[in-house]
Amino acid sequence: VRGHTDPGGGDTKPAVQQSKPLAQAGYTRGGTYPGETLMSASKLDQLKLMTDVVADTGDIEAIARYRPQDATTNPSLLLKAAAMDQYQDIVTASRQWASSQPGSSVEQMQLCTDRLAVELGCRILKIVPGRVSTEADARLSFDTSATVDRARRLIAFYADADVGPERVLIKIAATCEGIKAAEILERSGINCKLTLLFSFAQAAACAEAGVMLISPFVGRILDWHKAASGRDSYPAMEDPGVVSVTRIYNYYKQQGFKTVVMGASFRNVGEIEALAGCDRLTISPQLLETLESSTAVLERRLDPAASGDTIARPGASEAEFRWQMNEDAMATEKLAEGIRNFAADQVKLETLLRAG
């Protein structure tokens, strides 16, 4: 099996800031500690003992506050950052550098946005001990060779800033072409994070390709099922997004795949709590704050030692993958919608940079 070992791998509201985080007090992930220790810790600190927490934000101040293992960026987050005063220096520097490069105005803008993503990523890496995710242009999601070329350029930009590839994940949409690109990149030592993942078929294909990390979108799966069923809500353990990630996690552990499962796009704290123990979870600042404000005991839900009934390994051919996606209306619709939205934010970012 190909794959990679990742290096990372009725509430009350006390004054959380007065207590020392468990990690700083010498407690480590995977340990077993007395109940009184957990009762004095926030849910966020308890979660960090069983799951690597990633900040789903490009706001460096929020990243510094919540001390995640890794952080992520995407066109939506870059767009927000580019409009904030504290990032205007790197916006200006990226624009000026790109305008000095040869090529058309379109090519220069692509260079500008890539450079901006890397500059922001470098700032983030001064805070987080792990990796930063940087996204290949979503408009390349159906072009394997162009995605590979763009990923290599991003890694080269990081190298220019003395940041090695071991601290970067290239984000690619989990299309058939994107998964093929990731397989090529992984073989050359560039680690990838496959995003916009909504189905078991996508997850299985990513594992077979040796992808380092996948990011199933819990909340967006829930959104589709709520709209399709007419239901207003689901109990956390019946949440379709939670059920999907749980199945993927259990399958990976049963098969011995090393691909990291990182749940994303959460709509509420209940989804996060229902996936406690997942390899990684990327969480918005608002939900991180909610977790930080509670000291109720957090129960581990996912465990490699308790992966449940055996899950069959699906066929791995391209034809089988495409058929499985065709049969999954939710995954097909949400993947297409996600690519369109990321591409639209990329266009908005380019428009903002041109106006400057």
Side-chain angles (χ1 to χ4, degrees), residues 183-305:
E183 184 170 19
I184 294 169
L185 291 166
E186 292 283 359
R187 288 176 175 174
S188 68
I190 297 174
N191 297 143
C192 300
K193 167 184 173 181
L194 272 289
T195 188
L196 296 176
L197 193 143
F198 302 97
S199 74
F200 184 76
Q202 289 172 293
C206 287
E208 297 289 351
V211 169
M212 173 167 274
L213 184 148
I214 63 167
S215 188
F217 278 33
V218 180
R220 296 192 195 183
I221 294 174
L222 172 65
D223 294 344
W224 189 94
H225 281 279
K226 286 170 64 177
S229 68
R231 293 179 59 170
D232 293 330
S233 63
Y234 286 80
M237 300 307 294
E238 298 174 16
D239 182 304
V242 170
V243 172
S244 177
V245 174
T246 299
R247 183 187 181 203
I248 292 167
Y249 175 91
N250 288 338
Y251 173 72
Y252 278 12
K253 304 316 174 190
Q254 290 175 9
Q255 295 290 336
F257 288 118
K258 299 302 181 183
T259 299
V260 175
V261 181
M262 184 177 76
S265 179
F266 293 105
R267 296 293 180 255
N268 54 69
V269 170
E271 291 178 323
I272 297 169
E273 294 176 350
L275 292 173
C278 191
D279 299 327
R280 294 188 179 190
L281 298 175
T282 181
I283 306 171
S284 69
Q286 294 83 359
L287 293 177
L288 287 171
E289 183 175 2
T290 301
L291 290 166
E292 189 182 48
S293 68
S294 170
T295 56
V297 173
L298 181 64
E299 179 181 352
R300 181 168 191 145
R301 296 292 185 177
L302 300 186
D303 191 327

Side-chain angles (χ1 to χ4, degrees), residues 54-73:
V54 178
D56 192 7
T57 179
D59 184 348
I60 292 176
E61 292 181 2
I63 293 169
R65 175 182 176 186
Y66 294 110
R67 309 175 302 278
Q69 172 69 20
D70 293 351
T72 186
T73 65

Side-chain angles (χ1 to χ4, degrees), residues 136-149 151 170-187 190-197 202 205-207 209-214 318 321-322 335 339:
D137 192 327
R139 294 170 294 188
L140 305 178
S141 295
F142 303 102
D143 189 330
T144 296
S145 62
T147 298
V148 170
D149 290 343
I170 299 297
K171 287 178 67 175
I172 301 170
T175 59
C176 184
E177 294 80 5
I179 296 169
K180 289 179 181 178
E183 184 170 19
I184 294 169
L185 291 166
E186 292 283 359
R187 288 176 175 174
I190 297 174
N191 297 143
C192 300
K193 167 184 173 181
L194 272 289
T195 188
L196 296 176
L197 193 143
Q202 289 172 293
C206 287
V211 169
M212 173 167 274
L213 184 148
I214 63 167
E318 178 178 335
F321 172 82
R322 292 190 183 280
L335 173 61
I339 292 171

Side-chain angles (χ1 to χ4, degrees), residues 134-171:
T134 301
E135 186 158 325
D137 192 327
R139 294 170 294 188
L140 305 178
S141 295
F142 303 102
D143 189 330
T144 296
S145 62
T147 298
V148 170
D149 290 343
R150 186 61 62 88
R152 288 174 173 161
R153 185 167 80 184
L154 289 167
I155 291 296
F157 283 174
Y158 274 110
D160 291 341
D162 295 323
V163 174
E166 72 281 356
R167 298 211 65 196
V168 181
L169 287 174
I170 299 297
K171 287 178 67 175

